[in-house]
Amino acid sequence: MYYAEEDYIKLIYELAIENDVELIKTSDLSSKFGYTDQSVNEMIKKLSQKGLVTFIPYKGIKLTETGLEQAIRMTRSHRIWEVFLTEKLGFLWQDVHEEAERLEHATSPRLVEKLFDYLGRPTHCSHGNPIPSIKGPTQNPARLSLLSLNQNESFKLIRVLDHKELLTFLNKNQINLGDTIKVVEKMAFEDLLKIDVNDKEMIISSKVADMLFGEM
Ligand SMILES: [Zn+2]
């Protein structure tokens, strides 16, 4: 399988989990990749001929069992490499995605499992996404966003979107997984939130708050 095909399969997998849906629209893929609908459709056709995705006209696409297996293998490799890069090589969390993106394709299943054991069998990547297991169900990612909290509610930050600018912003403001964040004030008109994190008040946009997930 080519890298591009593997990336498509992985993205279909990730979008379905992120949005908690069974079927993905091709337009979701084109907007994520920045490709035209036509080129996405061609790729989907190719993948369905290979038995990796099922296309249901006017409804969307989903992975076949084989496609799902491939997606889990890739995602697992990607997230284990991220842990290695941050924990063992001191990479910042905003810098690991591209490295892991290259490494995931080149890693044999044997090496992935060796790495997994070496790292003490981690359960989550550096961004708080669960590392899927080859067999058996995968834990769902935290889906409660900071934006959905009411004023004066707080949660523990356990997952952030793997988005470079967001991660850089969080790093600059010393916001990390495990921190408790409280919504001090919601300023709906300005589209801003005043939050308290580690006893420090700051203002963030709704856009940022919608990329942070946790548990109460
Ligand atoms: Zn990650």
Side-chain angles (χ1 to χ4, degrees):
M1 200 158 37
Y2 300 105
Y3 285 8
E5 297 179 6
E6 292 181 337
D7 285 340
Y8 264 83
I9 286 170
K10 203 177 62 164
L11 188 59
I12 295 167
Y13 172 76
E14 282 169 1
L15 284 174
I17 290 186
E18 184 69 50
N19 303 320
D20 198 14
V21 292
E22 212 200 330
L23 293 163
I24 293 298
K25 292 191 186 70
T26 42
S27 57
D28 293 337
L29 289 174
S30 32
S31 66
K32 267 270 177 180
F33 276 130
Y35 298 156
T36 62
D37 283 344
Q38 199 198 340
S39 74
V40 171
N41 284 332
E42 276 166 24
M43 180 58 101
I44 296 305
K45 218 169 109 187
K46 214 152 78 181
L47 293 173
S48 90
Q49 280 163 356
K50 289 192 170 182
L52 297 165
V53 305
T54 308
F55 176 66
I56 304 166
Y58 307 109
K59 290 241 161 70
I61 42 179
K62 63 174 186 181
L63 297 172
T64 62
E65 215 172 295
T66 319
L68 183 64
E69 243 178 70
Q70 300 276 9
I72 288 175
R73 207 169 48 77
M74 282 295 119
T75 307
R76 181 174 170 78
S77 173
H78 184 101
R79 292 181 182 165
I80 289 172
W81 274 118
E82 285 187 345
V83 175
F84 178 79
L85 293 166
T86 46
E87 284 188 5
K88 302 293 176 187
L89 300 185
F91 273 75
L92 296 174
W93 67 352
Q94 65 261 35
D95 296 329
V96 292
H97 182 81
E98 283 124 333
E99 300 290 345
E101 201 60 30
R102 281 194 284 266
L103 290 162
E104 66 183 32
H105 300 287
T107 314
S108 71
R110 183 161 173 257
L111 175 54
V112 172
E113 296 320 309
K114 284 260 183 212
L115 205 53
F116 180 62
D117 286 338
Y118 173 71
L119 294 167
R121 309 174 82 83
T123 54
H124 292 78
C125 80
S126 347
H127 313 104
N129 283 302
I131 295 173
S133 61
I134 300 290
K135 294 178 192 111
T138 294
Q139 206 189 322
N140 279 326
R143 291 200 183 98
L144 178 71
S145 78
L146 185 64
L147 187 60
S148 65
L149 296 195
N150 295 313
Q151 208 149 300
N152 289 320
E153 284 181 338
S154 54
F155 77 8
K156 190 172 128 195
L157 183 66
I158 54 176
R159 180 172 76 96
V160 297
L161 284 195
D162 191 353
H163 183 292
K164 205 177 176 80
E165 280 82 21
L166 172 74
L167 297 170
T168 308
F169 169 82
L170 295 173
N171 207 25
K172 212 170 72 190
N173 289 285
Q174 292 169 317
I175 299 173
N176 297 296
L177 295 185
D179 288 351
T180 299
I181 306 180
K182 181 179 171 189
V183 177
V184 178
E185 194 185 343
K186 281 187 138 177
M187 298 171 263
F189 175 71
E190 296 93 334
D191 230 8
L192 298 170
L193 287 90
K194 186 192 278 180
I195 59 166
D196 180 297
V197 50
N198 304 322
D199 291 323
K200 218 175 76 190
E201 280 193 352
M202 62 180 292
I203 307 277
I204 60 169
S205 66
S206 299
K207 185 180 164 188
V208 167
D210 204 23
M211 296 176 166
L212 308 178
F213 305 89
E215 59 186 13
M216 290 174 82

